[in-house]
Amino acid sequence: MSRPLRLGVNIDHVATIRNARGGRHPDPVRAAELAAQAGADGVTAHLREDRRHISDVDITRLVCDVDLPLNLEMAATDEMVGIALRHKPHAACIVPEKREERTTEGGLDAVGGHNHLAPIITQLSEAHIRVSLFIEPDRAQLEAAHRLGAPVVELHVGAYCDAEDLDERAVLLSRIVEAAAIAEDLGLECHAGHGLTYETVEPVAAIQSIVELNIGHFLVGEAIFIGFEESLREMRRRMDIGRARG
Ligand code: PXP
């Protein structure tokens, strides 16, 4: 019997397209509503320091108007902690953030960042926000997340997704399989995300100790060709195939 696998839909890049011209179209909140209709289990949005895609108003509207749990991706800064405590999203995923990067590059350093992260995780957890740490599939990072008392980790699967060489991809997948097993042993709920596509999702969905996938950029890109709801439904279908196979 396979375990349920949730799909969290990241709508950042609907906002990227909107912001390319300013104004209100396309509306990421409408995308979140469509995601709910297409069977998503949650919606994810990254409020970046530079507000390059999602805005503060988007977060307010996502919390108030959308009937799906919100996973707020955020940097470990005082500003973002304040915003999370004000809005009380269902979940907060702490990610590293560099102003000059195009997207989140690499996982959080939960080992070196222990003293900085510990009070943030405590504050968010005390506000009943489910905290996850976005980390590389690496034992030291998983053990550090466990020491920090984070209930959830999200494994960065971007290197696996980006690998063009199939042997290299297989090696990177085996690291994810191993990391998910370590997370389970440590009692951490395990999620995965970054770079997932129709081509790469099935082997990750097959890993039974991973219970949530967060996917955005590919879904928004595919929506141009087949529509947003259909792009989600096809991803869900491939997740289900992978899950059943695992
Ligand atoms: N999970 C985390 C923590 C992320 O930072 C991102 C990218 O914002 C995603 C998942 C989604 O990645 P993608 O847009 O490549 O599907």
Side-chain angles (χ1 to χ4, degrees):
M1 205 21 207
S2 57
R3 292 196 211 168
L5 177 62
R6 297 191 297 268
L7 170 60
V9 174
N10 182 312
I11 50 160
D12 292 351
H13 298 299
V14 178
T16 302
I17 299 170
R18 175 195 60 193
N19 295 359
R21 282 289 171 94
R24 282 182 292 193
H25 180 81
D27 180 6
V29 175
R30 182 172 167 208
E33 286 163 351
L34 281 176
Q37 283 167 32
D41 301 289
V43 66
T44 295
H46 185 176
L47 184 68
R48 296 187 76 103
E49 185 197 7
D50 62 9
R51 309 302 197 264
R52 70 175 71 157
H53 37 57
I54 293 293
S55 69
D56 297 73
V57 174
D58 292 331
I59 296 296
T60 304
R61 292 177 61 223
L62 288 167
V63 170
C64 297
D65 300 348
V66 177
D67 213 12
L68 278 179
L70 174 66
N71 175 31
L72 175 67
E73 282 181 14
M74 52 175 271
T77 62
D78 290 345
E79 183 199 16
M80 288 302 151
V81 172
I83 290 169
L85 295 177
R86 250 196 331 279
H87 287 293
K88 297 222 171 48
H90 166 73
C93 179
I94 304 181
V95 299
E97 201 176 294
K98 294 190 220 93
R99 196 173 261 271
E100 64 279 10
E101 70 192 355
R102 260 194 292 175
T103 181
T104 312
E105 288 164 5
L108 196 66
D109 182 6
V111 179
H114 180 99
N115 293 347
H116 178 64
L117 292 168
I120 293 177
I121 293 168
T122 304
Q123 272 179 292
L124 295 173
S125 300
E126 282 176 0
H128 305 289
I129 299 168
R130 187 199 69 187
V131 179
S132 71
L133 302 184
F134 185 52
I135 56 172
E136 293 296 322
D138 172 80
R139 176 181 284 279
Q141 293 297 335
L142 286 151
E143 289 176 347
H146 178 60
R147 278 196 301 279
L148 279 161
V152 182
V153 288
E154 180 169 326
L155 301 178
H156 192 318
V157 297
Y160 151 77
C161 292
D162 292 346
E164 284 174 21
D165 179 86
L166 292 186
D167 291 336
E168 188 194 351
R169 193 185 278 180
V171 170
L172 293 166
L173 179 65
S174 69
R175 283 195 201 144
I176 298 166
V177 171
E178 212 177 296
I182 296 169
E184 176 143 50
D185 285 349
L186 291 170
L188 294 165
E189 181 172 315
C190 191
H191 302 175
H194 212 286
L196 287 163
T197 63
Y198 292 158
E199 197 194 337
T200 53
V201 76
E202 287 179 32
V204 178
I207 305 168
Q208 300 292 319
S209 39
I210 293 178
V211 297
E212 180 174 307
L213 301 181
N214 286 301
I215 311 179
H217 183 265
F218 180 84
L219 290 173
V220 173
E222 196 61 11
I224 294 167
F225 307 109
I226 62 172
F228 195 56
E229 284 189 72
E230 190 48 37
S231 84
L232 265 64
R233 288 192 208 283
E234 178 60 15
M235 187 61 82
R236 179 81 254 178
R237 194 180 71 79
R238 290 179 188 240
M239 284 166 60
D240 290 345
I241 291 170
R243 198 59 158 185
R245 209 179 53 215

